[in-house]
Amino acid sequence: MRSYITPLALLVSSLFLPNVEANTQLSVSTSASNPPQLQITYPSAIRVGQAVQDGLTQLPLYNQVTKNEAIPIYWLGAALLDTKNTAALEVTRQQVLQQLATMGEQADNANYIANLAKFAQFLRNVKIGQRVNQPLDLDLIRITDAYNPVIDGDFLLVLPPRPTTITVVGAVAQTGEQVWQSRASSKDYLTRAGLLDNAGDSFVWIIQPDGKVIKQPIAYWNHQAQDIAPGAILFVEFSALFNDHAKLNNNIIELLKNRAL
């Protein structure tokens, strides 16, 4: 697509960057599940602040809809993913898929096998990339130098609207989205999803939209309240795993925190 970044602007910004010989590709979208609505090529490395500013400048057309008003960016769910260096994540994904398939092969319950297959399909469809773990709100970037590092390579910038759902995955009977409710607890969502026989039921993992991972105790003897943001994922661990599946839960969490809305 056409880029509106002027050669002069790129030249001026490059004067303040380290001498990195790189061709930086930036794709910008309102959702990681959709094709990018904008692609920008830079002749050298850029800073995170420039990526976000250029995305904001050129994406407003795609961010407005109802009643002629622009939809505000959901900054908690904004994400910058390195989509070039994903080899390790893809290896992890294949390991998880193989482990889920093995669990299905060793089971004799058709519903259980179907639930594992649905979760595996969810993981296949997840767009993953090494997440740049920092806030992307320009106001924060401007006042915090550490939030404005140099990047080069291929990146996907996701600037989403505020979602209306959360997603429940893992050792549950109903993998998928549920309507987000401001006062709903993890146990409310898990009750609707239903737990499999080998589900861990003393805590749940919450992966917030910014990639932050929280282990929330939910049993009657250790329960702790925890806010769940729109767009979050609730992951229920698989328990009673075979020895060669010991890393399955950690690998799933690694994939989920490196996704975008």
Side-chain angles (χ1 to χ4, degrees):
M1 291 189 177
R2 181 181 177 186
S3 173
Y4 297 89
I5 305 300
T6 66
L8 178 59
L10 291 174
L11 176 61
V12 171
S13 64
S14 67
L15 294 176
F16 299 96
L17 296 175
N19 185 20
V20 178
E21 295 295 333
N23 185 308
T24 302
Q25 301 284 341
L26 180 67
S27 300
V28 189
S29 181
T30 56
S31 172
S33 61
N34 296 329
Q37 292 114 321
L38 177 67
Q39 293 182 325
I40 309 173
T41 299
Y42 302 88
S44 61
I46 60 173
R47 292 194 180 275
V48 168
Q50 181 176 356
V52 178
Q53 181 63 67
D54 293 346
L56 281 173
T57 300
Q58 301 188 49
L59 200 61
L61 174 63
Y62 305 100
N63 245 358
Q64 32 187 314
V65 239
T66 60
K67 301 179 182 178
N68 298 318
E69 295 180 358
I71 294 180
I73 302 294
Y74 182 55
W75 287 109
L76 185 64
L80 184 62
L81 303 181
D82 181 343
T83 57
K84 184 176 183 180
N85 299 307
T86 61
L89 285 173
E90 290 298 344
V91 169
T92 298
R93 173 155 38 194
Q94 292 308 311
Q95 290 174 343
V96 168
L97 294 176
Q98 182 57 56
Q99 289 167 334
L100 292 175
T102 300
M103 290 170 63
E105 291 169 359
Q106 296 175 344
D108 59 3
N109 183 310
N111 288 334
Y112 178 75
I113 295 171
N115 291 328
L116 291 180
K118 186 173 182 179
F119 180 40
Q121 188 59 45
F122 170 85
L123 292 175
R124 287 189 191 95
N125 293 336
V126 168
K127 174 72 174 179
I128 56 175
Q130 288 290 348
R131 192 182 194 113
V132 178
N133 289 310
Q134 65 163 76
L136 294 178
D137 190 319
L138 272 179
D139 291 337
L140 294 175
I141 291 174
R142 291 188 182 107
I143 63 175
T144 309
D145 290 342
Y147 292 159
N148 199 23
V150 174
I151 58 173
D152 67 271
D154 297 343
F155 289 85
L156 171 65
L157 175 65
V158 180
L159 299 174
R162 186 176 184 271
T164 59
T165 60
I166 59 95
T167 305
V168 183
V169 300
V172 295
Q174 298 293 330
T175 295
E177 295 182 345
Q178 296 185 26
V179 175
W180 177 82
Q181 297 176 314
S182 61
R183 297 185 181 276
S185 67
S186 294
K187 296 190 76 171
D188 293 330
Y189 294 122
L190 297 183
T191 297
R192 297 187 191 103
L195 298 182
L196 300 181
D197 290 341
N198 66 336
D201 58 3
S202 62
F203 61 86
V204 64
W205 292 95
I206 301 173
I207 297 89
Q208 299 284 32
D210 60 357
K212 181 179 180 181
V213 178
I214 301 169
K215 183 177 182 180
Q216 182 196 10
I218 57 172
Y220 73 91
W221 50 269
N222 67 351
H223 181 267
Q224 296 178 11
Q226 177 64 54
D227 290 335
I228 302 169
I233 287 183
L234 302 186
F235 166 57
V236 179
E237 277 198 355
F238 293 92
S239 65
L241 299 178
F242 299 99
N243 291 335
D244 58 347
H245 292 70
K247 295 183 179 179
L248 174 61
N249 293 314
N250 288 339
N251 283 343
I252 292 172
I253 293 170
E254 186 66 18
L255 294 176
L256 297 179
K257 73 180 185 181
N258 282 292
R259 68 179 281 277
L261 295 178

